[in-house]
Amino acid sequence: MPPSLAAIDLYPVDLPAKIDAITPWIQSDLNIGVYKAGFAPSQEVYDRNVIPVFGALNKLENIIAQNGGPFVLGPTMTELDVRLYATLIRFDTVYVQHFKCNLGTIRHDYPVLNNWLKGVYWDVEAARASTNFKHIKENVRVALDGYCRRKLMIRSTRRVTMISIPRQSLQWGLSLM
């Protein structure tokens, strides 16, 4: 019988220092980074913002390889895995194509991350149950149109942050479609 949701601890007592060291740059360089690049108001801003996305992917590739998987920090699933899954499951389909974060793909250029992603999808029931590939592929326009409210809500396990997206960024981002 699978454990109840109340029994899952994504911030285990032996890993907070490691989680807290990685969380800020995953959040800023990858989770939000794809949006900073994708909605950049100019080529100069895009160039400045796309590099950290791939820097974060490179770091994660090494961290997972060093820790031996199957999760980011080794044998224990943490909030880092949840945070990473939400971005990587959409990366090749959405962020590479529509946000032009196309200096590489997870499938072809990051073998450790690709195996991590497949492992989480197939081995974590909640990941598989909450992933709708049809929605990811077909509803990108709906999701992008949702940003027309000029606010993007970034959800973290500890807080909710609202950031404004300049109107010109929205127009540029939507014209990518």
Side-chain angles (χ1 to χ4, degrees):
M1 178 176 205
S4 72
L5 292 178
I8 297 172
D9 182 5
L10 297 175
Y11 195 75
V13 296
D14 58 329
L15 295 174
K18 290 181 180 182
I19 293 169
D20 291 347
I22 296 171
T23 295
W25 59 262
I26 282 184
Q27 186 71 14
S28 68
D29 296 349
L30 186 59
N31 299 124
I32 298 172
V34 292
Y35 292 92
K36 288 191 273 186
F39 290 124
S42 69
Q43 185 66 43
E44 179 184 345
V45 173
Y46 165 82
D47 291 342
R48 185 173 57 243
N49 289 321
V50 76
I51 299 301
V53 170
F54 289 89
L57 293 173
N58 292 339
K59 283 189 214 177
L60 286 162
E61 182 87 351
N62 290 329
I63 289 169
I64 295 169
Q66 289 171 358
N67 290 323
F71 300 109
V72 173
L73 296 178
T76 304
M77 184 176 189
T78 69
E79 68 178 59
L80 295 173
D81 296 285
V82 175
R83 190 180 301 279
L84 185 57
Y85 182 80
T87 299
L88 289 196
I89 199 68
R90 293 170 174 80
F91 197 87
D92 289 359
T93 305
V94 177
Y95 304 134
V96 167
Q97 179 180 358
H98 297 288
F99 288 17
K100 303 304 181 208
C101 290
N102 56 11
L103 301 180
T105 63
I106 303 303
R107 183 176 177 192
H108 294 109
D109 300 301
Y110 293 95
V112 173
L113 284 172
N114 189 47
N115 285 333
W116 172 89
L117 184 59
K118 290 188 294 187
V120 172
Y121 178 80
W122 288 110
D123 298 337
V124 178
E125 169 63 29
R128 201 169 50 258
S130 65
T131 302
N132 183 331
F133 288 108
K134 182 178 179 184
H135 181 263
I136 290 169
K137 291 176 184 177
E138 294 178 1
N139 294 325
V140 172
R141 182 141 186 96
V142 172
L144 290 173
D145 287 345
Y147 294 121
C148 289
R149 296 186 188 97
R150 298 193 59 197
K151 299 287 182 184
L152 173 63
M153 191 170 355
I154 308 301
R155 295 192 184 273
S156 165
T157 55
R158 297 188 184 99
R159 66 183 175 282
V160 174
T161 305
M162 296 294 286
I163 61 173
S164 291
I165 299 174
R167 190 77 191 149
Q168 64 271 28
S169 297
L170 290 169
Q171 292 166 348
W172 186 83
L174 292 173
S175 70
L176 295 174
M177 304 205 48

